[in-house]
Amino acid sequence: MTQPYFETPPKITVSITATCNLQCKHCYADCTDKPTTSELTTSEWLAFIDYLVENEFIQIYFEGGEPLHRPDFDTILESCGRRMMTLVRTHATLLTSERAKKWKALGVGRLFVDLMGATAKTHDYFTGSDGSFEKSCNGIRHALAAGIPTDAVLILTKRNVGELQAYLELAHELGAQRAGILRLYPLGRAKHHWKEFALSLQEQVEALAALRPPAGLHVMRSWHPNDANCCWQAAAVDPFGNSIGCMYLREYVNYGNIRSVPFLDTWRNDALYKKLRAGKVEKSCTQCDHNEGTRGGCRSTAYAYTGSWNAPDPFCSELNEGVDIRVLPKWLLHDRPKP
Amino acid sequence: MFCRNGCYMTVPNLRFRPIPEMDDYVVFTPDNPNLYSLNQAARLVLAFCDGRTGTALESAYCAALDPLLPRREARAELRKTIEDLERKGILRNTRP
Ligand code: SF4
Ligand code: SF4
């Protein structure tokens, strides 16, 4: 199965800020409380959203950092909520009932709320903030009450693997339609806590296999066979305007900055961007290639563990080839990781 | 529910995104935010929904598919498609 080459991608992810009111131990964005001056301004984001609409983008997915921590976020939502399917990933501690109603009116289509465990003890350990669990649960309640479909998402680690089943039950009780169990990526602060958080692949596979979702709750997983090499359609921009394809590539690539190059020029002209989208890998599981159109799994973790863009993804049990994913290559811990 | 005397138009403010690379055509419905993939039948129905009546729509649809699809089947497909598009908030009958 070959994936198409898009002239213009239909969807994009925007990391709107690298700031957050929490200080999670696993934060991929290494968030700080205060913004650096180089984050895109309100008018730059608004101009970019107009550009996306003019170029027929039909979906925008916001994440951070914490989008709600940006004071202009509602203005940004207002410019896109009725022009593109608008999705927001948030920890929702700042989402009041009034704000949720406003977001509904602005056209927000779906929320993904980070909840790192089934209990306050576990979640608040990750966030470093007592009471954050309760606030996030309330945020989910407010969003659902306002009529915004909302999913709970968790990044699987040693610290929350024991409460996965309880997590699904909690998500269901809160009224979420879906729960997402995501794999841990060696990025940002997470890689510096790797020993504490990372499970072996076998432990992850077993934990997922043991799940018994309550009736009516759909569980999303980011492992084989759904750990697709989805780079072929991936478009993303970081808070500083860099075109980086996917937020999981944030530390490894930069295809150009939208302050100086139109986004679609980075899409069409950057050699590495085109190479990753072409999906040429050394090895892939034929079954998944056929069924899912995925070749070799996620490019971010393939690169993180091997330094090669063409290598198989060690998070896939078919392609792991003996890599112990609890052990990170040393170069990855540098500020600007390069093998 | 399909109505012969109805007057069919697309809901305002929809955004369409052709994705020829995947032989797909996606529509965004801002009033009840969602993305839907439109199949060939839906695309053809929408192309005719310029305010014409259900009867006129039926004639146009059946003529477009003649002789590929027998009239009875074309009519059934049209009704099903219209109802589906109405349910998704893509099409409305302005004279229900
Ligand atoms: S809530 Fe999210 S953005 Fe904020 S510090 Fe935690 S991981 Fe980072
Ligand atoms: S880096 Fe991984 S998750 Fe991101 S687009 Fe590529 S394959 Fe998909």
Side-chain angles (χ1 to χ4, degrees):
Chain A
M1 200 163 136
T2 6
Q3 299 294 5
Y5 176 83
F6 287 134
E7 272 304 308
T8 309
K11 303 173 180 181
I12 193 163
T13 296
V14 165
S15 169
I16 200 82
T17 181
T19 68
C20 184
N21 53 313
L22 300 178
Q23 285 292 302
C24 295
K25 295 179 179 65
H26 62 283
C27 182
Y28 295 161
D30 215 345
C31 283
T32 49
D33 180 42
K34 297 268 174 297
T36 65
T37 46
S38 53
E39 285 197 0
L40 259 57
T41 62
T42 314
S43 54
E44 284 173 317
W45 280 126
L46 294 178
F48 184 57
I49 286 162
D50 287 344
Y51 172 87
L52 295 176
V53 173
E54 277 158 28
N55 285 286
E56 297 194 303
F57 282 73
I58 200 145
Q59 177 173 297
I60 187 163
Y61 174 96
F62 288 106
E63 60 162 80
E66 171 51 46
L68 274 151
H69 198 241
R70 244 191 101 114
D72 58 358
F73 189 54
D74 287 1
T75 308
I76 291 166
L77 282 181
E78 193 172 4
S79 80
C80 61
R82 298 199 49 89
R83 300 196 288 170
M84 288 182 277
M85 180 68 184
T86 300
L87 315 171
V88 183
R89 181 154 173 194
T90 169
H91 55 58
T93 65
L94 304 170
L95 191 67
T96 59
S97 164
E98 290 66 39
R99 193 90 178 261
K101 285 180 202 146
K102 184 176 179 195
W103 279 19
K104 174 70 183 164
L106 293 178
V108 172
R110 183 173 282 275
L111 297 191
F112 301 85
V113 177
D114 284 276
L115 262 189
M116 284 296 286
T119 60
K121 188 169 167 237
T122 304
H123 178 85
D124 293 354
Y125 174 80
F126 282 103
T127 64
S129 170
D130 287 348
S132 59
F133 176 78
E134 207 41 51
K135 286 182 188 156
S136 290
C137 289
N138 283 335
I140 293 178
R141 291 186 185 103
H142 295 323
L144 288 166
I148 306 175
T150 300
D151 302 334
V153 291
L154 168 143
I155 299 170
L156 183 61
T157 69
K158 250 188 227 171
R159 285 214 164 240
N160 56 22
V161 66
E163 50 193 74
L164 269 196
Q165 184 60 34
Y167 184 81
L168 299 188
E169 277 145 28
L170 170 71
H172 189 54
E173 264 169 48
L174 287 168
Q177 289 96 343
R178 307 188 299 194
I181 312 291
L182 310 177
R183 53 153 123 164
L184 181 69
Y185 275 82
L187 294 165
R189 291 199 280 271
K191 66 187 180 189
H192 297 290
H193 287 269
W194 201 251
K195 258 207 180 109
E196 181 191 352
F197 292 157
L199 292 158
S200 71
L201 184 57
Q202 187 60 28
E203 289 166 326
Q204 298 175 37
V205 169
E206 283 167 11
L208 294 169
L211 292 179
R212 298 288 171 266
L217 182 82
H218 177 72
V219 180
M220 304 173 291
R221 303 170 172 89
S222 62
W223 282 261
H224 187 90
N226 298 316
D227 60 343
N229 177 351
C230 42
C231 271
W232 59 276
Q233 44 86 59
V237 172
D238 75 11
F240 317 104
N242 300 312
S243 166
I244 55 170
C246 167
M247 294 319 295
Y248 293 129
L249 297 173
R250 67 179 96 210
E251 294 185 9
Y252 316 133
V253 304
N254 187 348
Y255 306 135
N257 193 290
I258 61 164
R259 278 180 165 135
S260 48
V261 191
F263 173 80
L264 287 172
D265 284 7
T266 73
W267 174 266
R268 290 178 187 138
N269 302 332
D270 187 273
L272 177 57
Y273 203 176
K274 290 201 289 188
K275 172 187 157 111
L276 294 191
R277 297 208 312 275
K280 291 209 178 80
V281 292
E282 286 158 13
K283 206 170 167 193
S284 63
C285 158
T286 36
Q287 218 189 336
C288 283
D289 191 346
H290 186 70
N291 297 337
E292 314 276 335
T294 166
R295 283 181 208 84
C298 178
R299 292 302 84 205
S300 169
T301 36
Y303 182 74
Y305 281 86
T306 68
S308 159
W309 291 115
N310 304 328
D313 175 7
F315 275 69
C316 167
S317 26
E318 298 286 323
L319 301 170
N320 171 273
E321 298 187 326
V323 176
D324 183 349
I325 57 180
R326 291 167 301 183
V327 182
L328 289 182
K330 284 206 175 58
W331 63 268
L332 210 57
L333 300 173
H334 297 162
D335 275 351
R336 294 244 149 254
K338 290 281 170 225
Chain B
M1 189 70 179
F2 177 70
C3 169
R4 287 213 139 120
N5 301 321
C7 188
Y8 287 96
M9 296 193 70
T10 50
V11 165
N13 304 321
L14 300 176
R15 273 198 73 221
F16 294 93
R17 162 72 202 238
I19 310 181
E21 300 92 339
M22 295 181 81
D23 189 24
D24 202 356
Y25 202 82
V26 176
V27 59
F28 169 53
T29 53
D31 291 340
N32 188 11
N34 230 324
L35 292 180
Y36 297 103
S37 193
L38 300 174
N39 63 18
Q40 298 285 356
R43 290 181 224 179
L44 187 58
V45 169
L46 288 178
F48 291 133
C49 286
D50 49 7
R52 67 184 83 180
T53 63
T55 309
L57 206 53
E58 215 169 54
S59 310
Y61 192 79
C62 293
L65 290 175
D66 183 54
L68 288 176
L69 206 59
R71 207 176 162 79
R72 237 188 54 205
E73 282 176 43
R75 274 212 308 258
E77 185 175 86
L78 173 79
R79 281 162 190 244
K80 204 173 123 217
T81 305
I82 285 186
E83 282 165 16
D84 185 50
L85 291 171
E86 281 186 308
R87 208 173 25 250
K88 289 174 175 160
I90 299 168
L91 192 66
R92 64 190 174 138
N93 176 358
T94 56
R95 199 169 53 198

